[in-house]
Amino acid sequence: MNIKAAAIVCACIVAGAFVIAMFTSSCSHAESASEVGRYQVVTGEKFTTFVMDTKSGRIWYQQSLPGSTAHWSEISGPWAEKR
């Protein structure tokens, strides 16, 4: 009975290691090939919208009041990547 239990535990560990190896190799490739989630959009109060580039740290905002033309402005701070 102990040998059977040890074999089952060993098989589970091997299967788990295989699953982890497959998952980490596919995730690292997917992250380098795609930029999903790089730009984050937040809508605030008073018709204000913010967009943040999570890779460079740049932030843009737009304040659009009803009946006016909207334009985008950039917020520069110490966190922003130097150009």
Side-chain angles (χ1 to χ4, degrees), residues 50-69:
F50 293 92
V51 176
M52 179 180 181
D53 181 356
T54 58
K55 185 175 181 182
S56 68
R58 294 173 66 187
I59 300 174
W60 298 270
Y61 72 95
Q62 176 188 43
Q63 188 169 18
S64 56
L65 300 172
S68 68
T69 305

Side-chain angles (χ1 to χ4, degrees), residues 13-47:
I13 290 173
V14 169
F18 181 72
V19 168
I20 289 173
M22 293 296 289
F23 180 71
T24 55
S25 66
S26 65
C27 283
S28 63
H29 177 66
E31 289 173 4
S32 64
S34 147
E35 294 186 351
V36 174
R38 177 177 174 179
Y39 295 97
Q40 301 293 318
V41 178
V42 178
T43 303
E45 297 178 20
K46 305 281 184 183
F47 307 102

